[in-house]
Amino acid sequence: MRLLVTGGAGFIGSNFIHYWLKNHPSDQIINFDNLTYAGNLENLESVKNSQNYTFTKGDIANAKEVRYAIKNVDVVVNFAAESHVDRSILDPAPFILTNVVGTQILLDVAKEAGVRRFHHVSTDEVYGSLDLNSKEKFREDSPYRPNSPYAASKAASDHLVRAYHATYGFPITVTNCSNNFGPYQFPEKLISLAITNLLEGKKVPVYGDGLYVRDWLYVKDHCAAIDLVLQKGKVGATYCIGVDSAIENIEVVKKILKILDQSPDKIEYVKDRPGHDRRYAIDAAKITKELGWQPKYNFDDALKLTVDWYRKNKSWWQKLKNKQFGKYYQEQYHRR
Ligand code: NAD
Ligand code: DAU
């Protein structure tokens, strides 16, 4: 099988490529990525010379570039996106261009090329926010109520993917998953930022009261879930992926402080994110019952593995916390 993995130089995409090459060694992977600030070919250094892996630099919003890369491809797995909520609040435009227009162009070219399956990787953020006091969880039939420009752009992309199935019979699947963490995550998201800030002797910024709740999924469990959806998922279907490990942000940060043997005075409460979703939780019953997916990692063990990875791979993330990142950090964390 020949797969076109878009956004394969990013966090989840590169973990997926490592996972796929290990578990499906006879398949061919084309990594198609335009290398934004979040795309990093160092993530794939160990496989770059593999016979069944190639990289093509290109933009999913550029039909000509996609057409060139998609020749003889059986399956498209679309990870390519602008992915950080805070950046979408500072500047929504690139989110619309890649996540909405890019997805539509990718769909058109993939349809024209006659691919057997188009898998779209999406997020639980499209469902909006849950009340802290409720027991409600997001399911495949939950209403779409995106609150950030990022979530709204992902919601639009999901609708397009679904519409291409309904209108053209295009063979799609969609997954909506919870917050990922693990190796190769750009050091802008809560867990990767907290670990790297602490390793640099800096404080960890915690938004608002720190009592926001997320459902943390180890990236390797996510990759295994996508594999199952590609092998056994029903064409046209959506699957929610999550692990039922709801934790307050402040507790996540305290666990990281404990692993790194650092003191709570490294916590710095900062101005809240506008439109901040209070709680996310996923009911993963469908993918469990229909496809037999089960997460293999528990949160505490996977967090230790992740902290260890960042400790051992300082040169990987230190380069990313460069001048450009400093500019973003200043704008994001020192606004008044
Ligand atoms: P990321 O920001 O780490 O990586 C995104 C990758 O896409 C980068 O390599 C970037 O260069 C590439 N890219 C961006 N615009 C592109 C374009 N126009 N053409 C080609 N490539 C482009 O993101 P991630 O965290 O790995 O997320 C991957 C996907 O999973 C996204 O679609 C995201 O919405 C979704 N998702 C992420 C999470 C999470 O917790 N990180 C959770 C749920 C869903
Ligand atoms: O739920 C899935 C989504 O998870 C993905 O679709 C997104 O691509 C991904 O970025 C992530 O979105 P979040 O906004 O939930 O992740 P983030 O790591 O940015 O924030 C997690 C929580 O931590 C959230 O409540 C905001 C808070 N936070 C975040 C940062 C970066 C802080 O308190 N301080 C911070 O500095």
Side-chain angles (χ1 to χ4, degrees):
M1 192 159 75
R2 203 169 154 84
L3 290 89
L4 183 76
V5 176
T6 71
F11 162 49
I12 308 175
S14 60
N15 275 284
F16 179 79
I17 290 175
H18 285 293
Y19 169 95
W20 200 272
L21 290 175
K22 193 170 161 207
N23 290 283
H24 304 276
S26 54
D27 286 351
Q28 292 288 326
I29 289 201
I30 303 143
N31 174 11
F32 183 82
D33 195 301
N34 71 343
L35 302 180
T36 67
Y37 79 94
N40 186 353
L41 289 178
E42 281 191 27
N43 302 4
L44 296 151
E45 192 59 28
S46 63
V47 299
K48 73 173 185 196
N49 295 321
S50 304
Q51 288 201 331
N52 48 353
Y53 168 81
T54 50
F55 170 70
T56 302
K57 187 170 186 303
D59 184 345
I60 58 164
N62 182 321
K64 205 171 147 198
E65 289 175 359
V66 179
R67 220 168 263 134
Y68 170 81
I70 210 166
K71 284 187 196 111
N72 303 319
V73 159
D74 303 294
V75 170
V76 174
V77 187
N78 182 28
F79 292 96
E82 289 293 337
S83 70
H84 193 35
V85 172
D86 293 323
R87 290 185 193 256
S88 82
I89 296 168
L90 293 172
D91 181 12
F95 288 74
I96 305 307
L97 287 177
T98 285
N99 302 1
V100 185
V101 178
T103 301
Q104 178 261 315
I105 289 171
L106 187 64
L107 279 163
D108 268 349
V109 178
K111 180 163 75 66
E112 164 194 301
V115 303
R116 276 205 274 121
R117 176 75 70 82
F118 183 102
H119 181 72
H120 182 60
V121 179
S122 194
T123 169
D124 59 358
E125 301 211 15
V126 298
Y127 303 122
S129 182
L130 297 168
D131 207 81
L132 263 193
N133 302 316
S134 83
K135 292 211 156 55
E136 201 189 335
K137 292 182 177 179
F138 298 134
R139 297 158 31 114
E140 291 76 7
D141 56 1
S142 296
Y144 272 51
R145 291 196 182 103
N147 289 319
S148 69
Y150 162 71
S153 69
K154 291 297 292 187
S157 68
D158 292 10
H159 291 320
L160 282 166
V161 173
R162 202 185 146 275
Y164 271 61
H165 176 65
T167 305
Y168 307 112
F170 189 51
I172 61 98
T173 38
V174 178
T175 44
N176 293 84
C177 82
S178 60
N179 289 60
N180 282 221
F181 68 106
Y184 302 118
Q185 185 164 35
F186 192 85
E188 64 185 353
K189 309 279 162 61
L190 179 67
I191 289 183
S192 51
L193 181 77
I195 299 170
T196 57
N197 270 16
L198 290 169
L199 290 173
E200 288 178 305
K202 293 184 183 149
K203 293 197 171 193
V204 179
V206 172
Y207 295 159
D209 58 12
L211 302 179
Y212 294 85
V213 172
R214 295 293 183 267
D215 172 39
W216 293 97
L217 171 70
Y218 192 52
V219 65
K220 294 186 186 190
D221 279 329
H222 183 191
C223 294
I226 296 173
D227 186 357
L228 272 178
V229 173
L230 289 176
Q231 310 290 338
K232 302 203 277 177
K234 198 171 148 218
V235 168
T238 288
Y239 297 88
C240 282
I241 309 169
V243 279
D244 219 359
S245 78
I247 307 181
E248 290 169 349
N249 293 342
I250 192 66
E251 288 309 316
V252 172
V253 173
K254 284 183 183 162
K255 281 175 188 283
I256 297 171
L257 285 168
K258 195 164 172 216
I259 298 170
L260 286 170
D261 201 18
Q262 299 213 20
S263 101
D265 64 12
K266 284 280 183 350
I267 296 170
E268 182 177 28
Y269 286 94
V270 298
K271 194 171 168 185
D272 209 348
R273 171 187 282 175
H276 199 168
D277 288 334
R278 210 15 131 172
R279 181 172 76 88
Y280 300 151
I282 289 260
D283 176 350
K286 180 176 174 185
I287 191 167
T288 304
K289 273 193 204 135
E290 286 186 16
L291 310 185
W293 178 76
Q294 289 281 359
K296 286 205 179 106
Y297 295 84
N298 75 48
F299 181 70
D300 287 353
D301 293 343
L303 188 63
K304 280 192 200 115
L305 289 175
T306 304
V307 171
D308 255 12
W309 188 87
Y310 282 87
R311 247 198 294 233
K312 287 186 187 131
N313 290 279
K314 280 193 181 145
S315 67
W316 180 87
W317 57 263
Q318 275 168 341
K319 270 180 260 184
L320 303 177
K321 287 191 148 179
N322 55 16
K323 216 164 141 192
Q324 193 193 1
F325 184 78
K327 229 175 120 200
Y328 157 73
Y329 202 82
Q330 181 68 21
E331 195 178 355
Q332 172 60 23
Y333 293 98
H334 300 285
R335 67 209 144 97
R336 304 170 74 224

